[in-house]
Amino acid sequence: MNAEQTEKRRFALNFNTADKVLLGILLLLAVAIIALGILQRAGLSLVNGTLMLQLPVMAVIVLISWGGYALVRRIKHRTARIVVASVLVLVLVLGLALVSSYISFMAAITVPQRYATLRSPSGAKQAVVLRALDGDETRLDERRAARLAADPDGDTEITLQDWGYVYKAWPKAWGPFYRSNAEVEGEIYLAYDGAVAPAAEDGAEPVQLPHGTLMVEWLDDEATAHFYVKDPGTAEGGECTVKF
């Protein structure tokens, strides 16, 4: 065997079945990420926006798993290989749990979540209603003041009942997408679902705070969907108009 053949053999890729499967998964994830990014730029966004955070993390996890598998495969001693593999699996599981919790937390704060999909009376048009956490401090303070007015002995710090949501609607597109480049004006503000002042220590019934209802009316032969709040409570209101 000459030097040239030895050099080629040294750098030859020796992929087994597991390597090919992991490589295939990585390629599929990469294609999905690129395709979804192109579609988003073209005005088609995923209703499940959290997926855009999850896919890159999944690709990193697969890459790390592949590296760990390659490391374990190089260990010749059976006992050492089992110990290293066990440690790597444990670290991967713990890391996956932490990353999943972090992604869920970030998605709940930063990514609008699907609230409802509404059809027009004829069924020809569909509107996707998304909601995100309302971080406006003024509305937050107003809700806290209303809660304390209903329950003077309540917690003066910000509680779950003080938060609210921002709602916005978009035309439904094909499959899991909505048209993010559509003509949409305005937003809806509602308090946290079931905003209730805590029950008193003597066992009295909890106080239900006034809470508006999200409503929709279809206008212009269903070419327009108008969202508004019926009987708005504290720090609730706004309107949203969607053009199809």
Side-chain angles (χ1 to χ4, degrees):
M1 184 181 294
N2 56 37
E4 184 178 354
Q5 289 175 328
T6 303
E7 191 72 16
K8 288 182 178 180
R9 184 175 179 180
R10 182 181 302 171
F11 290 99
L13 294 177
N14 184 22
F15 281 3
N16 59 20
T17 303
D19 290 324
K20 293 176 182 178
V21 170
L22 291 171
L23 178 60
I25 293 174
L26 276 176
L27 291 175
L28 287 175
L29 289 172
V31 170
I33 292 170
I34 294 172
L36 290 174
I38 293 174
L39 289 173
Q40 191 168 34
R41 287 180 175 273
L44 289 174
S45 297
L46 281 171
V47 175
N48 181 15
T50 307
L51 193 60
M52 295 299 292
L53 296 177
Q54 294 172 334
L55 286 177
V57 174
M58 291 171 60
V60 172
I61 291 173
V62 172
L63 191 59
I64 293 175
S65 301
W66 194 1
Y69 170 70
L71 174 63
V72 171
R73 192 171 57 185
R74 287 178 174 272
I75 300 175
K76 303 300 182 182
H77 195 279
R78 183 174 181 275
T79 302
R81 186 165 62 246
I82 293 175
V83 171
V84 173
S86 300
V87 171
L88 290 177
V89 169
L90 179 60
V91 171
L92 183 63
V93 170
L94 291 176
L96 183 59
L98 290 174
V99 171
S100 297
S101 299
Y102 179 74
I103 290 178
S104 298
F105 174 74
M106 291 301 298
I109 295 177
T110 62
V111 180
Q113 306 292 318
R114 178 186 174 278
Y115 176 69
T117 300
L118 305 176
R119 287 184 177 272
S120 63
S122 69
K125 305 289 177 61
Q126 292 186 70
V128 178
V129 182
L130 304 178
R131 72 178 184 182
L133 201 63
D134 184 6
D136 186 272
E137 294 184 1
T138 301
R139 289 191 289 269
L140 192 65
D141 290 338
E142 290 177 1
R143 296 187 192 102
R144 178 174 57 179
R147 174 177 58 81
L148 292 174
D151 179 25
D153 296 327
D155 191 350
T156 57
E157 298 296 326
I158 293 174
T159 67
L160 182 64
Q161 288 75 27
D162 303 328
W163 289 95
Y165 292 109
V166 178
Y167 295 76
K168 202 161 186 174
W170 305 88
K172 180 76 167 59
W174 53 272
F177 299 96
Y178 67 91
R179 290 199 293 113
S180 54
N181 61 350
E183 185 178 346
V184 177
E185 296 181 359
E187 295 177 327
I188 299 289
Y189 310 102
L190 287 175
Y192 183 81
D193 291 347
V196 177
E201 293 182 359
D202 58 5
E205 290 294 324
V207 178
Q208 177 70 50
L209 303 178
H211 185 38
T213 304
L214 180 62
M215 306 292 290
V216 61
E217 57 181 349
W218 295 86
L219 310 172
D220 306 328
D221 293 330
E222 300 183 355
T224 303
H226 176 237
F227 292 82
Y228 62 97
V229 180
K230 180 181 179 182
D231 302 326
T234 303
E236 294 185 323
E239 59 181 352
C240 180
T241 303
V242 182
K243 300 286 186 180
F244 287 85

